[in-house]
Amino acid sequence: MQHIRNFCIIAHIDHGKSTLADRLLEYTKTIQITEGQMLDDMDLEKERGITIKSHAIQMEYDYPGGDKGVEKGRYVLNLIDTPGHVDFSYEVSRSIAACEGALLVVDATQGVQAQTISNLYMAIDHDLEIIPVINKIDMPSAMPDEVEDEIVELIGCDRKDIIRASGKTGEGVEDVLNAVVERIPCPKGDPEAPLQALIFDSVFNSFRGIIAYFKIENGTIRKGDKVKFFNTGMEYDADEVGVLKMDMIPRQQLSTGDVGYIISGIKDSKEVKVGDTITHIARPCQKAIEGFQEVKPMVFAGVYPIDPTDYENLRASLEKLQLNDASLTFSPESSVALGFGFRCGFLGLLHMEIIQERLDREFDMDVITTVPNVSYMVYDKQGGSKEVHNPSGLPDQTMIDHIEEPYIRASIITASTYIGPIMKLCLDKRGELINQEYVSGNRIELHFMLPLGEIVIDFYDKLKSISKGYASFDYHIDSYRPSRLIKLDILLNGEPVDALSTLTHADNAVAFGRRMCEKLKELIPRQQFDIAIQAAIGAKIIARETVKQVRKDVTAKCYGGDVSRKRKLLEKQKKGKKRMKQIGNVEVPQKAFLAVLKLD
């Protein structure tokens, strides 16, 4: 146990975590690096250049010894590479729960950014030992001295504790490995105590069933042991246990402090819960491991199969995806326009996009996603309250006393040149400024209270474009506040399309309804009859557009003669169109549901 170190890498998006991880793996000769970001094994991660999943891998390092009082020898280092995007912060919190230390990587060209601070506080809450690393010092635009000032101000460490490194050239990698051995404490725990192992991730394998990844807090697990999962109460045989390198490597036993995997032929995804504790049946532990947060979804959207017969397949696909991504939540729901589907909870829009892509690629599921929205608290006149995730679940307007919407506390770090446009953006989104403070030099941190519903759709993109990519953004839920919200319905030929209805603020409703009608007019294909697109609040129509019918020229064969011959043919056509309109229905293309997100 003295020779085990568990640590993760945390940083803002694009500060070079995965590249630095490559260098560490290369230096310890764990694997041959054939391409960049070896740990990002999903096609989607390679294409977008982002980390979506945390990746655990074990390295062995021969520590040469030093003056820090740590004995020389071979050390086992368990590294977890984490995502940087705010939408995947739950992955980071799970990785932190399985570690004793963290490398805080900061880009030498960009300095400390919002997500860096957020991940740092998460690590400090778990009492992790922090090792600050300045990455990308080989870049011509690097400013290591200024960034050092920021880190010292942020953590309060000594300057000599900060390691300068480059994930590209490999400079400083040895210092990082030595610091991991010297500064990060070895795992605490008792190998002789009853088994207690924390499940921090799981993955579905179509041949082996469900594979759970765990970290042992106390005790020892051997191949063939009879184990049970503490919270679900299910019992299994440990058919295979082992450690994670690039592939899974079986071992006869794993002891306290080890990070590894267990295969026990579990078929049903409901039986494995991330955050559960594994223990022995013969000598169970007294209580489960604590300190593991439940996920709180921020954004809700309906996911429906394009072919209604795929409903059960979609359920199975979502369950398998949930194993690999514990921050996804879903429950069944039905819609008049789209049939049966699921109401899914996501951590943000990027998360929603990634899930949709993964459903398509990994499970071959074609789905329609409805307009995303957040959850609201609705209070009726009898004093009761309920949480509503879907505008169609709202009670009648006459029954509602008031509606409360979730507010977030946002922190935005930017160069002082962009303060004006950023403040205007936040105030336009009904935000209120709490305070502003200078971080260092000309960088400033702004704190805003903003309604979550306003930032869900396009806030992040706009923030990046007005600050030329320099502003960084991080947020957490603060509280619910009363708000003047009304339900906006979209009607096609007088029939409401429930999948397009949204809850919006009273001041924005008319403009939003008008823009929506205009957008749908472009996207809905022309039919043999007129289609009226209307936006309505209750019974009041606030905007209308018409998609003109496709008409055949029935008067083409009349050349001269009395006008009544033409009129007779036109009247006949008009009757046919009217009959068509009564029986015809309008197909709403998938593009129309997504267009609402990009109204500007």
Side-chain angles (χ1 to χ4, degrees), residues 338-548:
L338 301 170
F340 290 102
F342 295 92
R343 191 90 198 148
C344 297
F346 309 98
L347 292 180
L349 274 198
L350 176 70
H351 187 210
M352 174 174 137
E353 214 177 296
I354 295 288
I355 293 286
Q356 213 175 327
E357 283 263 324
R358 288 183 70 184
L359 279 172
D360 182 29
R361 292 183 184 204
E362 295 172 27
F363 303 100
D364 218 12
M365 293 297 310
D366 278 341
V367 294
I368 290 179
T369 315
T370 64
V371 185
N373 60 323
V374 299
S375 59
Y376 298 93
M377 291 300 287
V378 180
Y379 292 86
D380 57 26
K381 291 183 174 162
Q382 282 76 39
S385 67
K386 73 169 190 171
E387 196 172 9
V388 173
H389 301 308
N390 190 352
S392 59
L394 269 187
D396 192 53
Q397 200 70 36
T398 51
M399 306 293 293
I400 298 174
D401 182 49
H402 67 280
I403 302 177
E404 291 187 352
E405 65 174 335
Y407 267 70
I408 58 161
R409 191 186 172 97
S411 111
I412 297 170
I413 297 182
T414 177
S416 49
T417 19
Y418 305 115
I419 290 181
I422 287 176
M423 280 199 174
K424 183 179 181 307
L425 172 70
C426 293
L427 296 173
D428 286 350
K429 296 280 186 192
R430 315 202 318 269
E432 54 191 70
L433 180 67
I434 306 168
N435 66 355
Q436 57 186 46
E437 53 197 52
Y438 278 89
V439 184
S440 68
N442 71 336
R443 287 155 57 92
I444 193 164
E445 184 172 8
L446 304 167
H447 291 278
F448 274 94
M449 288 299 276
L450 284 158
L452 180 61
E454 292 280 348
I455 69 151
V456 154
I457 291 180
D458 55 1
F459 179 80
Y460 194 66
D461 303 346
K462 283 184 177 169
L463 179 71
K464 281 291 182 198
S465 59
I466 60 178
S467 66
K468 300 193 171 55
Y470 275 110
S472 59
F473 171 69
D474 183 56
Y475 64 88
H476 53 264
I477 285 286
D478 187 77
S479 59
Y480 279 81
R481 297 186 183 184
S483 201
R484 284 174 41 239
L485 295 167
I486 44 184
K487 184 179 168 195
L488 181 75
D489 285 314
I490 298 292
L491 314 176
L492 293 182
N493 281 344
E495 291 292 318
V497 182
D498 57 354
L500 284 173
S501 61
T502 49
L503 269 177
T504 177
H505 196 261
D507 299 345
N508 306 344
V510 176
F512 186 68
R514 204 166 284 152
R515 294 212 316 267
M516 220 146 126
C517 289
E518 285 164 10
K519 195 78 182 174
L520 288 171
K521 183 184 177 181
E522 294 167 22
L523 293 168
I524 290 178
R526 290 170 69 184
Q527 309 278 351
Q528 297 279 356
F529 49 89
D530 277 354
I531 304 170
I533 305 169
Q534 295 165 311
I537 298 170
K540 182 184 170 193
I541 304 290
I542 55 167
R544 169 180 172 136
E545 293 285 338
T546 309
V547 179
K548 281 303 200 191

Side-chain angles (χ1 to χ4, degrees), residues 1 4 58 60 76 78 190-193 195 197 214-216 218-225 227 238-244 249-262 280 283:
M1 251 173 70
I4 297 176
Q58 190 177 86
E60 287 176 356
V76 172
N78 291 310
D190 179 3
E192 302 305 319
L195 176 68
F214 61 81
K215 178 203 171 190
I216 303 180
N218 286 307
T220 305
I221 186 168
R222 293 176 182 78
K223 185 179 172 178
D225 279 356
V227 296
D239 298 336
E240 185 182 305
V241 294
V243 296
L244 298 154
I249 296 173
R251 292 272 191 269
Q252 283 306 311
Q253 71 164 40
L254 293 176
S255 188
T256 305
D258 280 327
V259 173
Y261 69 92
I262 176 169
H280 282 130
R283 268 180 77 199

